[in-house]
Amino acid sequence: MSKDSFAQSAAYLKQAVPLMIKYQIPTTPANYTLWYSYVSASMPELNQAIDQAIKLQGTCSLTTCERLFHQYLAAQSDQQLETMKLNLAAMTSELGHTMQDALSDTGAFQAMLDRSFDRLSRIDDEGLSLEDTMGILRELVRESRDVRMSTMHFRSQLTSAEKEIKALKEALNETRKLANEDALTGLLNRRAFSLEMDSLIRSRHPFSLILTDIDRFKNFNDEYGHLLGDQVLRAFSKRLRECCKEGVTAYRLGGEEFALLLPGRSLALSRQVAESLRRTIEKMSILDRKSGRRIDHITSSFGVGEHDGTEAADPLVERVDRLLYKAKELGRNRVMPLPS
């Protein structure tokens, strides 16, 4: 790297770090890469997306950072992943060749043993000299040493491969554990919800929370089976995702429980979003592929709350959760609180 390039990189880093501190962005390699790219203005679309997030949220939340990194910069990570795959393939191929060599050496050694023992068994008949007999024994010792070295090399490679595979499994398990996406619905999961909520609270930017779940969801599983239940969850999630505009984000918290975070939205506006969703969901119609029946009695209940500027995450969730259960008590398929 030239002195000019190094100086420019240092200048970008000096700009990126204060921004990350300002918006309370964790100093991970991915976030460094994201904010370095931002201050270097190398990707106008990325800068526009970050600026839009800051405008709506007052910050660039953790999940937003992760989403933008994967959207705009993950190609580099994909290359690293591809390199890892190639390395694994090379390691597997090398182990395979080494194993073949070891087996080949072992087979050759077995053939040599058979020949040598056959010759030794004919000592009396053929009257082999002491020199000939010692020659056979020296060949046995030499071949035994070669096979032993081949076996030791293969064992060493297996041990090394075991360590690499163990490290890879641990890394993959950690990645899976830290993943933010719900596998069934494609929505963000509870971990992402907690991170985003904490980020919004720290930013002191106004936001609202919607909690919702599918009314009598257990009945779908009991009557039609879990496959249809999963189909309902995916269709429900699709409706939530369709309303995720201008910073709104949907999450699956678990089972049939879902949440939406709405940065910059008041209680009244968030209640309108929930009411629009409620009407959309009650019009859903799903075909049960197993029985051929069409299911069109799907409804959902909603609790809506606006962060008061001082609440921690748990009290806010508990407050909105009480509103959700109030909607259930009043007959389901409704939004609470009622409009004032």
Side-chain angles (χ1 to χ4, degrees), residues 89-108:
M91 181 182 71
T92 304
S93 177
E94 184 178 354
L95 280 173
H97 289 310
T98 305
M99 184 171 65
Q100 287 179 354
D101 291 342
L103 290 173
S104 177
D105 290 344
T106 303

Side-chain angles (χ1 to χ4, degrees), residues 73-170:
L73 301 169
Q76 300 172 17
S77 297
D78 290 342
Q79 292 174 3
Q80 293 173 354
L81 181 60
E82 192 61 32
T83 300
M84 182 184 70
K85 290 179 180 177
L86 291 173
N87 289 339
L88 282 172
M91 181 182 71
T92 304
S93 177
E94 184 178 354
L95 280 173
H97 289 310
T98 305
M99 184 171 65
Q100 287 179 354
D101 291 342
L103 290 173
S104 177
D105 290 344
T106 303
F109 179 62
Q110 182 63 51
M112 188 278 298
L113 278 178
D114 292 340
R115 290 196 307 272
S116 298
F117 284 123
D118 182 63
R119 291 170 62 190
L120 287 172
S121 69
R122 298 200 304 270
I123 287 178
D124 292 334
D125 297 334
E126 298 180 2
L128 290 177
S129 66
L130 178 60
E131 184 178 349
D132 290 337
T133 303
M134 291 303 296
I136 295 173
L137 294 176
R138 279 193 293 270
E139 185 180 2
L140 279 170
V141 170
R142 185 177 64 254
E143 293 289 342
S144 297
R145 186 181 296 114
D146 290 342
V147 168
R148 180 172 179 271
M149 293 299 295
S150 176
T151 304
M152 287 177 62
H153 177 62
F154 182 55
R155 184 182 300 164
S156 174
Q157 282 205 308
L158 279 179
T159 301
S160 177
E162 277 184 344
K163 290 179 180 177
E164 290 187 48
I165 291 169
K166 181 180 178 182
L168 178 63
K169 286 174 66 178
E170 289 174 353

Side-chain angles (χ1 to χ4, degrees), residues 6 20 25 34 55 104 110 172 179 192 203 216 239 253 280 321 329:
F6 182 82
M20 294 174 72
I25 308 298
L34 182 72
K55 179 181 177 182
S104 177
Q110 182 63 51
L172 289 174
S203 74
R216 298 186 174 89
R239 300 306 187 278
L253 302 184
T280 299
D321 199 42
E329 291 173 1

